[in-house]
Amino acid sequence: MNDLFADTPSDRPEEVTPHTAAQSASAPRPVTDTPPTNPNPMLDALLDHGKLWRGGQMTTNAHVIPTGHAVLDPFLPGGGWPRAALTEILLDGPGSGELQLVLPALKRLCAADSHDSDRWISWIAPPYVPYAPALAQAGINLARMLVVHARKGLDVMWAAEQSLRCGTCSAVLMWAPNTNTKALRRLQLAAEEGDSWGVVFRETRTQREASPAAVRLRLSTNEQGRTLHLLKSRGGRPLRVAADFLMG
């Protein structure tokens, strides 16, 4: 006897005759419109939380920012950049097209009909001074831009973490080539707390390092042009595509 089965009251097995089987099949069954009782409402509330990701599931919640690139959205969970999370973009060097990649989403956050329009977009330790006329022409609201010229590594981290956590920044862009996994984990938690989209630009050489970012991409350039690699995406699919859609 398999121990997984409970003991029956009698040693003799119950006999099922054709007569008793027909009676059982034809017997009226109670009909009720009452929905089944929820055995664990706290668990259901947790599973319905927008920030919870379940493996193998392509999330459909609206807690994303459309990338503005038709070739990229279908490969990301929910069809866009994840809010309240980190996006990590690996580069051969500054000026590799990273701003063209995120600019449509920043424009969306600045739009007058966006509920994020009154929040800030923070730039932490950019390698070059952002060119205001070009950003304004691209639809970025310069009045809601905040540029922090932090120089030392710890200052960069502190400014980025505070910006992500404060709740008044819709997006935080950070150039931090020497950031490690432990620091990225702190930034991820800060982004969740502040409901902010954190974007970390790092060097390609860090690709083999572990990363808690929800989305991780690599933007590479060679003689044939630019290539975008989607290395990691919770619930999304891998992607490798020519980045011709990035102008400049």
Side-chain angles (χ1 to χ4, degrees):
M1 174 67 72
N2 192 324
D3 293 336
L4 294 177
F5 292 100
D7 293 336
T8 59
S10 169
D11 292 338
R12 189 177 63 181
E14 181 180 359
E15 294 182 0
V16 180
T17 64
H19 176 70
T20 57
Q23 281 184 325
S24 176
S26 60
R29 298 181 178 179
V31 178
T32 175
D33 294 332
T34 304
T37 304
N38 189 343
N40 195 333
M42 293 183 64
L43 178 59
D44 280 356
L46 177 63
L47 294 176
D48 288 339
H49 198 284
K51 295 179 181 178
L52 180 68
W53 172 72
R54 283 178 278 182
Q57 182 183 45
M58 191 78 166
T59 180
T60 57
N61 68 61
H63 208 63
V64 299
I65 310 165
T67 67
H69 305 295
V71 68
L72 183 57
D73 282 348
F75 291 85
L76 295 174
W81 303 116
R83 293 175 179 267
L86 278 188
T87 293
E88 184 181 4
I89 301 177
L90 306 180
L91 308 166
D92 295 332
S96 299
E98 65 270 32
L99 290 186
Q100 289 86 351
L101 187 60
V102 301
L103 206 55
L106 299 181
K107 178 183 177 182
R108 178 58 194 155
L109 293 173
C110 293
D113 61 346
S114 169
H115 69 274
D116 294 299
S117 60
D118 61 343
R119 302 176 76 192
W120 295 92
I121 295 176
S122 292
W123 302 55
I124 311 296
Y128 308 108
V129 177
Y131 188 51
L135 293 175
Q137 187 176 11
I140 303 300
N141 182 5
L142 300 181
R144 304 307 300 174
M145 277 187 42
L146 179 66
V147 181
V148 179
H149 293 289
R151 297 185 181 277
K152 298 180 180 178
L154 290 179
D155 294 340
V156 173
M157 279 301 304
W158 183 87
E161 186 174 348
Q162 297 305 313
S163 299
L164 287 168
R165 179 170 288 119
C166 67
T168 59
C169 293
S170 59
V172 177
L173 313 181
M174 181 181 71
W175 284 260
N178 298 319
T179 303
N180 56 37
T181 302
K182 182 179 179 180
L184 290 177
R185 191 171 293 113
R186 289 181 60 91
L187 295 178
Q188 171 68 31
L189 295 175
E192 293 177 7
E193 185 175 338
D195 191 29
S196 181
W197 176 39
V199 183
V200 182
F201 301 106
R202 302 177 75 199
E203 295 180 354
T204 302
R205 62 179 174 81
T206 63
Q207 180 175 336
R208 293 186 178 275
E209 298 179 8
S211 172
V215 172
R216 198 179 199 203
L217 307 100
R218 177 162 59 89
L219 189 59
S220 59
T221 305
N222 54 30
E223 294 80 5
Q224 285 73 39
R226 291 172 178 163
T227 304
L228 182 66
H229 306 256
L230 181 55
L231 305 173
K232 173 187 175 184
S233 177
R234 294 174 181 172
R237 295 175 289 165
L239 171 68
R240 178 178 177 179
V241 63
D244 298 334
F245 56 92
L246 300 178
M247 298 184 298

